[in-house]
Structure formats: C-alpha cells, structure tokens
Amino acid sequence: MKTGHLAAFAAIALGQFGVAASPPAWASEPLIYQADNLEVQLLLQAGVNVVAEGNLFWTLSDTFARSENYNPDKVWVEYYLKPGISASYTLPWDMTAYGKASLVASYTQDIDAYDLGNTGRITLEEGYVGIQKRFDNLSKIDFSIGPRELKLGTGMLVANGGSSGFERGALKFGPRKAWELAAIARGTVGNYSATAFYLDPNEMPSTDNKNELAGFDVRYDGSGGGFAGITYLNVLSSNNAYPKAAPAGRGAPSIQAGARDGLNALGFYARTGPINTHFGTAFFSADGAAEWNETIDMFAWGGRLQAGHIWSEHSWLPSLTYTYKTFSGDDPATSQQERFDPLYYDGSPSSWATGSKSSMTFINSNVQAHEIAFNIKPTKKNSITLRYAHIRANELRSPIQFGQATRFEIAGGDNIVAGVTDHHLADDFFLEFSHGFNRNAFLTAGLSASFPGKGLDLAANRDLPVWYGGFVNLVINY
C-alpha cells in the first residue's frame, strides 16, 4: 500500500471525526460528555486492509467458467470508516432512555476475489432508540427499535445482520453487522433472560430477497462464566431459493424458488465457564439446530462440539482448541429437502467460519470440519494463532455451495454446484499475528493456504493448485 494512501486515511480518521487531544468538554478516552442526567459518547471505528490472493478458488474457473476470463491472482485494498454517537438519559422511576446512530463508509480499491472493485457505499448502520426499566439490581426490562446489532447465543443462526462486499466494498472486513430493522424486547431476572425479536436484515439492493424473521431466545448465564440457551425463529417472508439435488445426484440441481419462506429453526447452545485443571483451565461447548419447513417438505440439522484448554500457569499462555462442526446436505436419494440453511451466522475465523480460504466458497451447508487452533501470547500486546481445518462433504453428489449464501453465482463460475464424488474437499492452514498498539489500535497480519482435496480434484478432472494468500490490516476503535 502506498504511504500517501495511509496518510490520507489517517488524516480522515483522526481529523474529520474529531479524535483530538483533550477537547474542552470531552474526556479523551473514551469521548464522553456528561451533564446532569445525560451522557453522550462519540464512537469511531476505522480500518484499512491490504489483501493478496493467488490461485483463487483453486482455479476452478479454468474448468467451469473459461468464458469468463476470470483472473485467479488478485491484490486489492479495503477501507472503512464507522463514525457514530450514542446517548442515554436517566428518567424518573429507575428508567433510562437511550439511542445510537452510526454510519459505515466502505470502499474497495482494485478488483477483489469476486471480480468486483473500485466501488463502495455509505450506509446507515445503527439508528435505534430504546427504553429500559430497572426494578432492582437483578431485574429489568428493555425495549428498542431501529437498525442495530443482535447476536444470539454463539452466533450459529443469528449474528450478522448486514451485508458487505460486492457493490458496497470491504469484502474481507465485512464492517456491517446491524440489522436494517430490529425490534427487540428483553426481560432479565437474576441469571435468566428472555428476548423476543423481529429482524429485517440489511441486504444489498442487488440481492435483496425481502427476508424477515421473528422469534425468541431464552438464556441462562452462570456466575462462573458459563451459559446455556435455546433459540426459536420463524422466517416470516423470504424470496431466497434453495438448490435441490438431482435424483440420484445425476445432473445439475434444480432450484426451489422462495424455499426459505416459512422456515422454522430451533437451536440450543451451551458453554462451560473455565474449569480448573492441573495445568490451567479448560472449557467445553455444544451447539445444535434443527430446521423444518412443511411447505417444501424440509428437515435439516447442524451442530458443533468444541473443547479447549489454556495453560495459564505457563509463559506465553499457550492454548489449544478443537472443534467439530457438521451441517446436513440434501440427500439425492430422497424427495425431501435436507439442506441446512446457515441463515445469518457469525463468519469470523474464531466463530462459525468453516476453514479460512474455504469459508469464501463453502457456506455452512453440506459440510463437516475438524478444526484445531493453537494460540500463544509472547507479550501482552502480541498474539499468534495457527489454525487448521480438514473439510469434508456430508452428502456426495449434492450441492456443496450455491453462490455466497445470497447469490447463485461467484466470479469463476458455479463450481461444484452439483456436488462431488469424494468426501474430502480441502485442508486449510491459517497463521495470524495480532499486535495491539494500545486499547484502541490493532495491527493484524495473516498468511493462509488451502490444499484441495480429492473431491475437488475429481470435480475438475485435474490436479488443482494450492490456493494461497495473505493480508495486513490496521483497525482503530474508539
């Protein structure tokens, strides 16, 4: 990245939005103004990300979409700014009114992995108002309405309400998380909470499938840091289509138009707090979900088991986490639809992404993965993580990937839409380094590689190359 770009970015981030030293009425970190019953806080996130990719999508475009002239080697730069303001006002009778507003300005310079670039948008991120009534230190009720973030449980089904990339830019950063409209009512009594919600995702105009969903979540938070809960949701309306495997897997899948409409999902999540061991602390977690839709004769399932350990008595605090996740695919031998719909999952590498490179192609449907993450912290400000994922298909001759969850195509062609004849899809490696300059500024760099499995090689009828890449980004967060 050119020095001038970084200097201009810093000038915008630090100058235009007022991150200055000791303004008269504001504290410097964080930027808070307090007067009587009113508290106002200025907010700012900003980032710049340089990305390089080689042999994108294992060069499957050379087999499935030669006419597209897709270039599998790319370098691009992403930017985003997210200024905002939040406020709260104390009312009589132990009530508080509050609200938040923020914008996202994002841009991609040069052409990204999906063959789009030199484009960006400014969109509303959050813009909600709410009111809270507290009864005592352990009990309260809360209601809010407007665009805002909402993540339920560990983020298996409901987490990412906003879409980035494509015409909005900032594909890798994905700075948009808020739902376009969220009505949220929550009650808390002691360690228990119940949340009812209505959500309208912030979809891109080019792929707006008119999704709306509603449901509830019940959760218990233990005093030791563990938690457990259940989530139910119903898709009130949707134009999203599902792929249906061809009979016996022979041929291209058919398209079930509007198949998400009426979907029901029931999920559970649980995680222990830190469990003391002779060498440090351990944790265990489990997630699962069932989905059904009588209109299209659908039943699908997915889940995750996870176990981790941190050697807290040792320097560098080494930790090791093992994850097994699996999501059903459509069985070509049945007329029923068994394809798991991943809905709005948290796609970060430490959460629900399946693999590193592979997560750009395989959504959480008809895949299973064994994943290992090893982390060390050489200093308080530095962290190094190595991730490995072995990724397989659950159902042969069944759609593995059908676009990027909201699109039926990707640059490079509709690869492996009809499925594979061998379960092994890929092996992903991801090495990540993170440095915190202070509590507000972070530098992250990573190298990753995806080795194609036999299933992909057979689909392309050739030995595919390794898909590799790297990135370095700087993020500030006030």
Side-chain angles (χ1 to χ4, degrees), residues 264-438:
N264 298 279
L266 180 65
F268 73 89
Y269 53 90
R271 178 180 171 122
T272 67
I275 300 172
N276 292 327
T277 71
H278 182 70
F279 302 103
T281 58
F283 79 89
F284 301 92
S285 70
D287 298 81
E291 298 178 333
W292 67 96
N293 190 339
E294 295 180 359
T295 304
I296 62 168
D297 187 21
M298 171 187 177
F299 182 82
W301 49 265
R304 180 180 73 175
L305 295 173
Q306 195 171 67
H309 191 278
I310 179 170
W311 285 264
S312 52
E313 301 301 320
H314 293 258
S315 60
W316 292 22
L317 300 175
S319 66
L320 184 66
T321 303
Y322 167 76
T323 302
Y324 174 73
K325 61 179 68 151
T326 180
F327 308 93
S328 63
D330 187 36
D331 186 348
T334 72
S335 61
Q336 188 178 57
Q337 172 64 267
E338 295 98 353
R339 172 191 181 273
F340 186 80
D341 186 339
L343 291 169
Y344 302 94
Y345 64 100
D346 183 343
S348 63
S350 60
S351 188
W352 283 94
T354 298
S356 51
K357 294 297 187 200
S358 294
S359 65
M360 296 177 64
T361 302
F362 308 136
I363 62 174
N364 288 346
S365 179
N366 193 23
V367 294
Q368 60 173 279
H370 298 271
E371 300 175 341
I372 296 174
F374 178 70
N375 174 265
I376 55 174
K377 301 183 188 304
T379 70
K380 290 184 178 180
K381 293 187 175 183
N382 296 311
S383 175
I384 301 172
T385 305
L386 176 62
R387 303 181 190 277
Y388 164 71
H390 175 74
I391 305 163
R392 304 177 66 83
N394 268 326
E395 293 284 350
L396 299 180
R397 300 185 182 275
S398 178
I400 302 296
Q401 165 275 340
F402 207 69
Q404 297 303 304
T406 61
R407 294 176 182 257
F408 291 147
E409 75 283 344
I410 64 169
D414 289 340
N415 54 59
I416 59 175
V417 167
V420 294
T421 57
D422 185 273
H423 289 283
H424 186 197
L425 295 175
D427 293 283
D428 285 13
F429 295 85
F430 180 26
L431 180 64
E432 184 180 47
F433 167 77
S434 180
H435 173 75
F437 294 101
N438 52 50

Side-chain angles (χ1 to χ4, degrees), residues 10-32 42 44 476 478:
I12 293 172
L14 301 180
Q16 181 175 344
F17 294 100
V19 182
S22 303
W26 299 77
S28 59
E29 290 189 28
L31 298 174
I32 296 177
L42 293 182
L44 174 66
I476 63 170
Y478 282 88

Side-chain angles (χ1 to χ4, degrees), residues 50-111:
V50 182
V51 185
E53 299 279 355
N55 295 329
L56 272 155
F57 307 112
W58 310 279
T59 71
L60 282 166
S61 58
D62 291 346
T63 299
F64 294 99
R66 291 184 180 181
S67 62
E68 297 295 329
N69 295 318
Y70 176 75
N71 180 7
D73 302 318
K74 298 183 186 295
V75 179
W76 72 92
V77 185
E78 302 177 353
Y79 311 86
Y80 84 94
L81 290 170
K82 189 175 179 181
I85 185 169
S86 65
S88 63
Y89 188 82
T90 303
L91 299 169
W93 306 297
D94 294 322
M95 298 178 68
T96 302
Y98 62 90
K100 183 179 179 181
S102 64
L103 299 173
V104 172
S106 57
Y107 187 79
T108 292
Q109 179 182 328
D110 295 321
I111 305 302

